[in-house]
Amino acid sequence: MAKDVLILAFESSCDETSVAVVKNGREVLSNIIATQIKSHQRFGGVVPEVASRHHVQQIIHCTDLALKQAQVAYEDLAAVAVTYGPGLVGSLLIGLMGAKAISWAHDLPLIGVNHLAGHIYAANLVTPIKYPAMALVVSGGHTELVRVSAPGDFVILGDTRDDAVGEAFDKVGRMLGVNYPAGKTIDQWAQIGQDTFNFPRAMLEEDNLDFSFSGIKSAVINTIHHADQIGQTLNKKDIAASFQADVIDILVTKTKWALEKYPAQQLIVAGGVAANSGLRQRLQQEFAQQLEVVFPPLRLCGDNAAMIGAFAYIKYQKHQFATLNLNADPSLDFDYETLE
Ligand code: KG4
Ligand code: ZN
């Protein structure tokens, strides 16, 4: 029997320091996540310098804990993996330094992982990915439709032209007095409120798979300002429900178009916004009869190192190793393809 491949994985692209041990790309032996949300909340968003400092403080502790919880020693490892982009450069560098130091000291191959590939391969920790797959990546920094035609073969079909969907949730939340990150609360309010405002469905008149969320965000903000000026009190729950219905309609419609053009065996929903209950429900309703819809569990939707270990296994099998010169690439991306 082939020996199990144990990968020690690092994720530090934004405001979570995470270290995990993943077996054969499918089994999470440990997944330590140190979140910094409290430190950034008072600023209403992630402050890069603050994030880097936290990563420095947390990374060694998280590494020790990940190995201990997995009951794995350095000698048992097959490789070390790390997110090298996209993300905040200072934050990425801390993970890279940690991974490189271990790779060098223990003579282990180093694997550089694209953060988005990690989000998509979180699905592999739930059920084996079936190819071709379609991935809807929705997070605080990304909104993308990605076709995965074979292991590790990604093509972006649609992207956001401005704000990412999670960013829009956070900005609208801020206007409604909700602490960062606001997605979860907006989601809870949306379940109580009604879609009474009917905000414009942006980009649905255009024949492409791109997204735009800044117009919707502005429409919500204008509605709130206007009500303030005329002394009217708006029902925040209805605003949340109207905003969320709008966003979900756009995400679902563009996913439908993508699947019509590129049929797939699986739809993978990835990233922090994949936690959204309304989105989960609508995507199931629309697509579950046609193909398998995979939502990673909530703890694997947000940033975590287990997803990095899951994708690193694909690169390990292909012997796609990095040298110690691997650098952070804050705007690392996949290839693009335009819908004709
Ligand atoms: O993937 P993630 O943890 O970090 C990034 O790589 O961006 O995503 C964080 C984003 C935040 O914008 C947060 O507000 C949003 O995910 N989020 C949600 C929900 N839970 C988290 N958005 C909508 N509904 C939710 N239930
Ligand atoms: Zn992320």
Side-chain angles (χ1 to χ4, degrees):
M1 221 172 77
K3 198 167 169 265
D4 284 330
V5 174
L6 299 179
I7 296 180
L8 178 70
F10 289 83
E11 157 61 40
S12 68
S13 64
C14 191
D15 61 341
E16 254 95 33
T17 319
S18 181
V19 185
V21 178
V22 178
K23 184 165 132 186
N24 300 328
R26 301 268 349 262
E27 199 183 320
V28 183
L29 301 190
S30 63
N31 190 21
I32 309 298
I33 307 170
T35 176
Q36 315 174 351
I37 283 179
K38 285 214 160 58
S39 304
H40 300 286
Q41 242 160 12
R42 65 197 158 114
F43 302 110
V46 177
V47 183
E49 178 58 24
V50 174
S52 308
R53 280 164 191 261
H54 275 284
H55 289 306
V56 171
Q57 286 163 354
Q58 295 292 339
I59 197 154
I60 294 178
H61 183 54
C62 289
T63 309
D64 286 344
L65 221 57
L67 289 166
K68 197 169 160 199
Q69 219 176 73
Q71 297 186 307
V72 163
Y74 285 113
E75 310 79 88
D76 305 324
L77 295 172
V80 186
V82 58
T83 305
Y84 71 107
L88 301 169
V89 69
S91 294
L92 289 165
L93 283 170
I94 314 299
L96 273 159
M97 291 307 156
K100 284 187 196 180
I102 291 171
S103 157
W104 184 75
H106 297 277
D107 201 15
L108 290 164
L110 180 68
I111 302 174
V113 173
N114 179 320
H115 181 77
L116 294 181
H119 269 306
I120 295 170
Y121 271 75
N124 223 13
L125 299 169
V126 184
T127 184
I129 294 182
K130 296 194 193 99
Y131 305 92
M134 183 68 71
L136 175 66
V137 186
V138 277
S139 76
H142 297 275
T143 313
E144 273 155 23
L145 274 162
V146 182
R147 179 172 157 82
V148 193
S149 42
D153 201 340
F154 307 99
V155 175
I156 296 185
L157 305 173
D159 198 353
T160 180
R161 304 248 172 117
D162 37 60
D163 292 350
V165 63
E167 196 181 348
F169 267 94
D170 295 337
K171 286 179 180 168
V172 165
R174 192 176 183 161
M175 287 303 299
L176 296 175
V178 181
N179 268 345
Y180 169 85
K184 194 172 167 190
T185 305
I186 299 283
D187 186 10
Q188 285 162 350
W189 285 2
Q191 289 167 54
I192 305 163
Q194 302 289 325
D195 176 11
T196 48
F197 289 92
N198 244 309
F199 293 124
R201 267 52 175 167
M203 303 283 292
L204 287 190
E205 69 293 348
E206 290 189 40
D207 189 17
N208 61 52
L209 296 174
D210 284 343
F211 302 95
S212 165
F213 294 102
S214 74
I216 305 162
K217 175 199 67 191
S218 303
V220 176
I221 292 170
N222 289 342
T223 305
I224 297 169
H225 279 160
H226 180 69
D228 268 356
Q229 277 163 358
I230 60 170
Q232 195 186 2
T233 315
L234 295 177
N235 182 333
K236 290 182 177 182
K237 313 259 174 346
D238 287 349
I239 297 208
S242 306
F243 166 72
Q244 184 159 304
D246 189 314
V247 167
I248 292 175
D249 251 7
I250 294 163
L251 293 173
V252 169
T253 305
K254 294 262 162 154
T255 304
K256 202 173 187 166
W257 292 355
L259 286 167
E260 278 163 12
K261 172 118 179 137
Y262 303 98
Q265 295 212 56
Q266 248 176 6
L267 172 64
I268 296 167
V269 192
V273 184
N276 187 273
S277 60
L279 180 64
R280 285 180 171 235
Q281 212 174 16
R282 269 290 299 282
L283 288 170
Q284 283 285 6
Q285 259 168 22
E286 294 283 339
F287 304 112
Q289 291 191 330
Q290 163 190 351
L291 80 178
E292 188 183 3
V293 185
V294 186
F295 296 98
L298 297 193
R299 78 197 151 78
L300 296 175
C301 282
D303 291 349
N304 69 89
M307 67 185 196
I308 302 306
F311 183 63
Y313 181 67
I314 303 291
K315 291 189 103 173
Y316 179 87
Q317 286 175 310
K318 295 182 180 180
H319 297 279
Q320 290 176 346
F321 302 124
T323 67
L324 289 177
N325 289 327
L326 180 67
N327 205 351
D329 185 349
S331 39
L332 182 68
D333 220 338
F334 299 134
D335 289 339
Y336 279 80
E337 187 173 297
T338 320
L339 185 73
E340 281 152 25

